[in-house]
């Protein structure tokens, strides 16, 4: 029988919770603590003690429930009902980049030169990990990573440990659903303290705040996450139900702040290009003095009505841009140039450098892309070079410092034979890259292909990493991806540095990977040029594997965003008997996925709408107009009926137009068509 809890105790518990949440907010959100750490601890301990005495009073969103709990085996998947989009990066890293964005917006909105300036919300671009927080009736229910933008990982329990994130809204009438999007990050001071603690304890130190924050969120053990001092800034929203969405982005951020979410105070309304430029310059000047790392700024059109009007291009909104700071550059000595063999045999020259700290990490290797690039930059062994690294990008050589070239600097010579398998290296006349001709007999190519196959966004085989794959290939236990599924615990346990327990874990992960999706499977095959987005498009377009295997290059061209080069690469891949054998073997090994009907251009604003084209359009050929409509998801038919939604009429339109008019069907001209296909709908 549950013992009755005295009302006075229940009341005290409620008071303590409210007061602890207020102090969390003062500390983490407002940056204005009003009590000492010791006073905070006293309140916290009193609450803990009362909850221990009266377990029936514990609620999931009590501040005491932020500490974690038992570790997870894997993260569950979360499908984002509103995709987590990324935004375009302005490539011009001078202040002028801001003016280019403004010019594009004005052009896309069709504004006259003398029309008043567009209003933007300018924000800092926080360097951390994107997270979506789902609040239902004001309670935090699910927190997920971005993943591929459509499906992320459920990191709710880890996010619970972040005190800057309210477990419930400060609102008497919260929305039924509000997804808050933002960035988890670590402050510079917290990062320095964490590393000091690590060092004192004789543990390894962390490289930079961004990777540490991202790693902490993706810990399977929430107790580990709880030990990392993480913070959060909200910068947008996803799904919304039963909420009067403010008319501007700034209004949304104000509302989020009022609900108790941390929103950065450096955001500003900027009118027109000059104020964007001023914001960029101010952020550049303040950057080093900020309490957290940023890698640029973000501009967003403030009015949601204008955002809707601007819409999307492929998967990026037209109304926002990331304007990054120029990447940091540091000089160092180039000691040698080696080569690396990629998954498709591409030989990439790699600069071996005297280690240099740049862009937040120590760099020892940098890509030189290809021979032409080396000649163009006139890079020689022995040169002092400028090295650049930005975000997650592979470090690059910017240029040589010619005044520091020694007399004995040597030119790079592409080896004639693959250093991995001894096969000839060949460079086709019209290609920039040299390739190892060894194909899958080349262990380097095999290793890369297997690494890709097992990687997180492919078949996601946890524990099957670089070192293990190297051992498996070198020991000839695995030649193709299908061989992975024949491995036993005994095979793995016999390898170096592999305990029975870990061997069993890897085999279990391999077994779990059998259940996958068609899109992941296609991506995992490692077809040249086929990234995740294309793999998803192919899976949706064909619905099943068999029709994809047999598709002609022409049929492949019908897939969204697939051009001739890609169509050819896909076709050639499936035409290769060896690849078919591996695919068959994988299926025999039990790799499986759900198949469904083809969803041709199922995305797009015009899904379910039927169009008829008639007459001659001023600029678009009939075929192009049809392709545009279909790419946007519309069906185009030849004759007008009651089922027709729109008729696009050009010059000399005849009976179809008359019939449409008689039926009262909407009639568009070419400009109307362009507006409809350009305006991708749906998300904020
Ligand atoms: S807005 C649809 N605002 O930068 C708009 N992103 O692609 C979605 N980021 O990884 C993004 N600070 O996590 C936005 N103030 C900010 C941001 C920001 C950092 C990150 C974001 C994503 C990338 C943008």
């Amino acid at each position: 029988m549950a013992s009755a809890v005295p009302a006075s105790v229940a009341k005290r518990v409620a008071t303590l919770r409210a007061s602890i949440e207020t102090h969390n907010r003062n500390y983490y959100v407002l940056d204005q603590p009003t009590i000492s750490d010791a006073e905070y601890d006293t309140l916290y301990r009193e609450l803990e003690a009362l909850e221990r005495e009266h377990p029936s009073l514990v609620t999931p969103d009590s501040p005491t429930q932020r500490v974690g709990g038992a570790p997870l085996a894997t993260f569950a998947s979360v499908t984002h009902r509103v995709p987590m989009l990324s935004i375009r990066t302005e490539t011009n890293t001078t202040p002028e980049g801001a003016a280019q964005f403004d010019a594009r917006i004005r052009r896309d909105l069709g504004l006259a030169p003398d029309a008043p300036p567009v209003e933007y919300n300018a924000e800092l671009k926080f360097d951390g990990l994107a997270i979506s927080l789902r609040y239902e009736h004001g309670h935090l229910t699910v927190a997920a990573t971005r993943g591929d933008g459509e499906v992320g990982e459920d990191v709710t329990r880890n996010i619970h440990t972040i005190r800057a994130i309210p477990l419930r809204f400060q609102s008497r009438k919260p929305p039924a659903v509000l997804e808050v999007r933002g960035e988890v990050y670590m402050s510079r001071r917290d990062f320095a303290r964490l590393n000091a603690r690590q060092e004192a304890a004789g543990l390894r130190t962390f490289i930079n705040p961004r990777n540490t924050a991202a790693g902490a969120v993706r810990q399977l053990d929430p107790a580990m996450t709880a030990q990392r001092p993480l913070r959060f800034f909200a910068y947008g929203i996803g799904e919304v139900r039963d909420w009067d969405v403010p008319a501007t982005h700034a209004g949304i951020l104000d509302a989020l702040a009022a609900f108790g979410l941390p929103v950065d105070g450096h955001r500003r309304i900027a009118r027109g290009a000059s104020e964007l430029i001023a914001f960029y310059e101010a952020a550049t000047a303040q950057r080093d003095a900020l309490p957290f790392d940023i890698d640029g700024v973000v501009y967003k059109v403030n009015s949601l009505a204008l955002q809707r009007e601007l819409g999307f291009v492929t998967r990026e909104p037209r109304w926002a841009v990331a304007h990054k700071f120029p990447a940091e550059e540091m000089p160092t000595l180039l000691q040698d140039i080696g080569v690396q063999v990629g998954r498709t045999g591409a030989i990439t020259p790699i600069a071996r450098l005297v280690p240099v700290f740049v862009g937040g990490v120590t760099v020892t290797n940098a890509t030189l892309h290809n021979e032409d690039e080396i000649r163009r930059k006139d890079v020689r062994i022995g040169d002092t070079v400028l090295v650049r690294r930005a975000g997650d990008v592979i470090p690059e050589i910017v240029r040589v410092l010619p005044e520091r070239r020694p007399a004995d600097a040597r030119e790079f010579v592409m080896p004639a034979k693959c250093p991995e398998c001894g096969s000839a290296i060949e460079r086709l006349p019209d290609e920039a890259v040299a390739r190892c001709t060894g194909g899958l007999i080349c262990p380097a190519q095999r290793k890369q292909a297997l690494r890709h196959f097992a990687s997180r966004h492919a078949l996601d085989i946890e524990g099957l990493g670089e070192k293990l794959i190297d051992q498996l290939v070198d020991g000839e236990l695995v030649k193709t991806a299908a061989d992975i599924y024949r491995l036993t615990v005994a095979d793995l346990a016999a390898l170096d540095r592999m305990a029975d327990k870990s061997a069993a874990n890897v085999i279990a992960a391999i077994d779990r990977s059998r259940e996958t999706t068609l899109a992941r499977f296609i991506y995992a095959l490692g077809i040249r040029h086929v990234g995740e987005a294309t793999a998803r498009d192919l899976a949706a377009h064909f619905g099943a594997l068999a029709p994809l295997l047999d598709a002609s290059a022409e049929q492949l061209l019908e897939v969204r965003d697939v051009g001739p080069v890609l169509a050819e690469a896909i076709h050639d891949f499936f035409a290769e008997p060896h690849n078919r054998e591996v695919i068959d073997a994988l299926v025999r090994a039990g790799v499986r996925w759900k198949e469904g009907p083809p969803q041709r251009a199922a995305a797009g604003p015009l899904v379910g709408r039927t169009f008829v084209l008639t007459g001659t359009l001023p600029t678009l050929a009939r075929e192009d107009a049809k392709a545009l409509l279909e790419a946007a998801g519309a069906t185009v038919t030849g004759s007008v009926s009651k089922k027709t939604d729109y008729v696009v009429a050009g010059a000399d339109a005849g009976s179809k137009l008359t019939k449409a008019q008689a039926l009262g069907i909407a009639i568009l001209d070419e400009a109307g068509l362009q507006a409809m296909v350009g305006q991708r709908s749906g998300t904020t």
Side-chain angles (χ1 to χ4, degrees):
M1 199 189 77
S3 57
V5 179
S8 61
V9 172
K11 202 168 149 219
R12 178 68 187 152
V13 163
T15 310
L16 284 167
R17 281 181 190 154
S19 127
I20 290 169
E21 286 296 353
T22 303
H23 292 305
N24 276 344
R25 193 167 122 85
N26 291 345
Y27 187 90
Y28 290 101
V29 182
L30 306 176
D31 214 3
Q32 281 164 355
T34 52
I35 58 170
S36 70
D37 289 3
E39 286 167 306
Y40 178 91
D41 287 346
T42 309
L43 294 174
Y44 190 88
R45 269 189 248 110
E46 185 185 347
L47 176 61
E48 259 184 339
L50 288 176
E51 289 182 349
R52 221 172 13 246
E53 248 172 80
H54 307 282
S56 66
L57 286 180
V58 179
T59 57
D61 52 13
S62 168
T64 59
Q65 301 306 297
R66 288 190 181 267
V67 282
L72 303 170
T74 53
F75 294 114
S77 302
V78 175
T79 301
H80 301 297
R81 304 226 192 129
V82 172
M84 283 181 83
L85 300 163
S86 63
I87 47 180
R88 221 177 58 83
T89 298
E90 176 55 61
T91 42
N92 181 342
T93 54
T94 69
E96 265 309 292
Q100 285 171 351
F101 172 64
D102 178 59
R104 241 187 349 264
I105 293 289
R106 295 184 70 88
R107 187 202 63 203
D108 290 348
L109 288 173
L111 295 180
D114 57 353
V118 175
E119 191 173 280
Y120 300 99
N121 199 74
E123 299 165 20
L124 300 181
K125 184 169 184 302
F126 319 109
D127 207 4
L129 182 75
I131 288 286
S132 182
L133 306 172
R134 188 177 175 85
Y135 286 88
E136 295 179 23
H137 303 288
H139 291 264
L140 177 61
T141 52
V142 182
T145 60
R146 177 169 185 275
D148 62 8
E150 293 178 23
V151 180
E153 287 176 320
D154 184 337
V155 288
T156 311
R157 301 228 326 243
N158 291 348
I159 293 301
H160 261 252
T161 68
I162 304 177
R163 288 176 209 269
I165 295 181
L167 299 177
R168 46 186 181 164
F169 280 170
Q170 295 191 317
S171 160
R172 257 173 287 131
K173 214 182 148 292
V177 173
L178 178 58
E179 276 178 8
V180 177
R181 304 258 163 102
E183 199 91 348
V184 170
Y185 70 97
M186 191 176 285
S187 78
R188 290 177 171 159
R189 204 173 59 176
D190 286 340
F191 176 74
R193 283 195 190 141
L194 173 66
N195 264 352
R197 257 193 286 149
Q198 291 287 111
E199 222 171 302
L203 298 169
R204 81 182 166 98
T205 54
F206 296 97
I207 295 170
N208 59 41
R210 170 208 162 96
N211 292 5
T212 315
V217 170
R218 299 198 60 259
Q219 279 286 334
L220 286 168
D221 183 356
M224 291 294 287
T225 313
Q227 288 167 25
R228 306 275 180 265
L230 299 174
R231 292 169 188 253
F232 178 79
F233 279 132
Y235 57 61
I237 57 175
E239 197 191 358
V240 172
R241 273 194 237 156
D242 292 338
W243 188 44
D244 276 335
V245 180
T248 61
H249 182 71
I252 291 176
L253 296 185
D254 289 340
L256 296 181
F259 285 141
L261 284 148
V263 179
D264 177 40
H266 294 88
R267 68 200 158 102
R268 291 284 177 276
I269 298 284
R271 289 180 187 82
S274 61
E275 293 190 20
L276 288 181
I277 292 175
F279 185 81
Y280 185 78
E281 286 176 336
T284 307
Q286 284 177 307
R287 182 179 186 186
D288 290 337
L290 289 172
F292 45 82
D293 285 352
I294 58 172
D295 59 344
V297 298
V298 179
Y299 313 130
K300 303 170 184 174
V301 169
N302 198 28
S303 150
L304 263 54
L306 291 185
Q307 287 187 5
R308 273 190 292 273
E309 194 175 329
L310 286 158
F312 295 78
V313 229
T314 44
R315 285 157 215 258
E316 294 170 348
R318 279 209 188 85
W319 44 261
V321 78
H323 193 187
K324 292 204 189 176
F325 296 131
E328 194 192 347
E329 297 175 355
M330 291 295 279
T332 189
L333 186 69
L334 190 159
Q335 296 172 296
D336 198 4
I337 299 179
V339 298
Q340 193 173 299
V341 190
R343 178 155 59 83
T344 55
I347 305 280
T348 308
I350 304 286
R352 311 285 179 214
L353 306 166
V354 169
V356 57
F357 193 75
V358 51
V361 294
T362 302
V363 171
T364 47
N365 295 311
T367 178
L368 285 162
H369 301 289
N370 55 52
E371 277 178 286
D372 294 349
E373 181 82 358
I374 297 179
R375 307 275 171 262
R376 196 173 61 75
K377 289 184 178 157
D378 188 24
V379 176
R380 310 222 182 135
I381 299 161
D383 270 339
T384 296
V385 292
L386 273 188
V387 177
R388 169 165 63 198
R389 183 185 172 278
D392 269 348
V393 187
I394 305 166
E396 275 194 311
I397 304 285
V398 186
R399 63 184 176 91
V400 166
L401 302 179
E403 65 280 11
R404 291 170 68 174
R405 170 168 291 168
D408 61 350
R410 283 182 293 126
E411 283 203 38
F412 167 72
V413 187
M414 179 63 80
K417 292 201 159 41
C418 171
E420 299 281 341
C421 70
S423 305
I425 288 180
E426 188 178 74
R427 183 171 162 194
L428 298 177
D430 55 345
E431 279 207 8
V433 285
R435 286 178 199 280
C436 161
T437 53
L440 288 180
I441 68 152
C442 177
Q445 291 184 53
R446 228 186 285 149
K447 286 174 187 171
Q448 298 278 357
L450 291 166
R451 249 180 246 169
H452 174 77
F453 183 86
S455 64
R456 200 149 69 81
H457 295 267
L459 283 232
D460 190 18
I461 309 180
E462 208 169 319
L464 188 55
E466 193 169 326
K467 297 236 167 59
L468 183 51
I469 290 175
D470 287 353
Q471 288 194 65
L472 292 170
V473 172
D474 294 340
E476 300 197 352
L477 280 152
V478 169
K479 286 205 167 63
T480 75
D483 298 333
I484 293 173
Y485 293 93
R486 278 195 279 274
L487 292 170
T488 63
V489 175
D491 287 340
L492 295 187
L495 297 174
D496 279 356
R497 285 191 304 260
M498 181 57 97
D500 289 356
K501 177 86 176 11
S502 343
N505 284 344
V506 175
I507 295 295
I510 292 174
D511 192 40
R512 277 196 304 275
S513 76
R514 283 188 167 93
E515 190 102 38
T516 188
T517 63
L518 180 56
R520 277 178 179 267
F521 184 77
I522 296 168
Y523 174 64
L525 294 174
I527 306 167
R528 212 193 288 181
H529 312 304
V530 176
E532 280 176 83
T534 307
R536 267 199 305 270
D537 289 342
L538 289 167
H541 184 91
F542 290 98
L545 184 62
L548 168 63
L549 292 183
D550 296 331
S552 65
E554 289 74 45
Q555 287 169 324
L556 287 162
L557 278 173
E558 290 168 15
V559 181
R560 178 160 70 138
D561 293 342
V562 171
V565 174
L566 197 52
E568 177 105 1
I570 298 167
H571 181 261
D572 290 354
F573 182 91
F574 291 123
E576 166 67 40
H578 172 79
N579 292 332
R580 300 288 277 244
E581 280 162 30
V582 173
I583 291 170
D584 286 347
L586 284 167
V587 171
R588 280 201 307 277
V591 176
R592 58 189 177 271
W593 53 85
K594 286 204 187 74
E595 300 201 332
Q599 298 164 19
R600 310 245 150 127
L606 301 179
V607 172
R609 299 290 151 83
T610 302
F611 282 72
V612 172
L613 298 164
T614 178
T616 311
L617 299 176
T619 72
L620 284 172
R622 177 75 63 93
E623 279 315 298
D624 296 336
K626 182 164 184 255
L628 271 178
L629 287 166
E630 285 175 350
T635 309
V636 180
T637 65
S639 61
V640 176
S641 75
K642 274 187 295 191
K643 290 197 190 122
T644 310
D645 295 299
Y646 299 94
V647 168
V648 184
D652 302 321
S655 61
K656 289 182 192 172
L657 178 57
T658 329
K659 185 164 177 194
Q661 283 162 337
L663 289 172
I665 291 166
I667 298 175
L668 303 172
D669 58 5
E670 180 175 311
L673 177 156
Q674 302 269 24
M676 291 195 78
V677 297
Q679 198 174 312
R680 299 257 164 131
S681 64
T683 46
T684 48

